[in-house]
């Protein structure tokens, strides 16, 4: 049974969602940056969605749990398979899609902003999808992967902005917050 709500009850404000994309195989520097990013995003009021598995996805999820602003349900993972047990242990809400690489569309569509950390071909596809869907994209440029290569670049002439460059996890989180501010 649902509780009755009066017409005067305030509607809770929806927390913004940051879709964090990046490689499943990462080195220690990328892993540390992704973990710091997870903490910094939650510190700034974001929920996080990712592909829910290893590498950047696990590190950002783990970092989210370290934020004092973390609450249950803050971390969402959209898996490419139907096996929920494939989610990393820091995912609060597991969505087993069964869509393979097509789940990348769901990850970026769920975010109000997309933040890229390193990454290979899957990350490149997610950045292109985010661009095509008009989502603001922040690229963490720490010298690794597609996020470093595309930071500060325009992907095509359909938009007047660029992929926003950030050189630290904290700067990426701050830029993401600015991009979703009302």
């Amino acid at each position: 049974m649902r509780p009755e709500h009066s017409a005067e009850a305030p509607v809770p404000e929806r927390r913004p969602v940051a879709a964090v994309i990046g490689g499943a195989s990462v080195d220690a520097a990328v892993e540390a940056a992704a973990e710091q990013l997870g903490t910094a995003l939650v510190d700034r009021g974001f929920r996080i969605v990712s592909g829910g598995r290893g590498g950047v996805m696990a590190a950002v999820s783990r970092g989210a749990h370290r934020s004092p602003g973390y609450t249950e349900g803050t971390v969402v993972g959209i898996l490419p398979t139907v096996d929920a047990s494939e989610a990393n242990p820091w995912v609060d809400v597991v969505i087993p899609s069964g869509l393979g690489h097509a789940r990348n569309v769901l990850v970026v569509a769920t975010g109000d902003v997309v933040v890229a950390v390193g990454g290979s071909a899957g990350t490149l596809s997610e950045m292109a999808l985010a661009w095509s869907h008009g989502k603001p994209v922040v690229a963490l440029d720490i010298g690794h992967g597609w996020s470093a290569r595309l930071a500060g670049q325009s992907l095509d002439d359909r938009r007047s902005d660029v992929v926003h460059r950030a050189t630290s996890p904290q700067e990426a989180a701050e830029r993401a917050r600015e991009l979703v501010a009302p």
Side-chain angles (χ1 to χ4, degrees), residues 14-153:
R14 185 179 74 81
R15 288 168 55 190
V17 177
V20 179
I21 59 175
S25 298
V26 296
D27 65 19
V30 172
E31 182 176 23
E35 188 168 332
Q36 291 170 25
L37 176 64
T39 303
L41 286 167
V42 175
D43 286 348
R44 286 162 181 80
F46 282 97
R47 289 188 194 277
I48 294 174
V49 65
S50 76
R53 291 170 74 176
V56 164
M57 299 167 279
V60 76
S61 300
R62 184 171 55 247
H65 279 252
R66 295 203 169 129
S67 170
Y70 168 80
T71 57
E72 177 68 27
T74 293
V75 181
V76 177
I78 303 175
L79 303 179
T81 67
V82 296
D83 185 355
S85 71
E86 291 184 10
N88 72 64
W90 298 279
V91 172
D92 300 321
V93 179
V94 178
I95 301 172
S97 76
L99 295 173
H101 292 293
R103 74 76 149 80
N104 293 354
V105 174
L106 296 176
V107 171
V108 300
T110 301
D112 297 304
V113 61
V114 176
V115 183
V117 183
S120 300
T123 304
L124 174 60
S125 75
E126 287 169 313
M127 291 177 81
L129 287 165
W131 185 268
S132 296
H133 287 286
K135 302 285 181 166
V137 181
V138 177
L140 183 54
D141 183 359
I142 55 173
H144 297 273
W146 283 107
S147 67
R149 292 170 72 179
L150 294 177
Q153 303 295 314

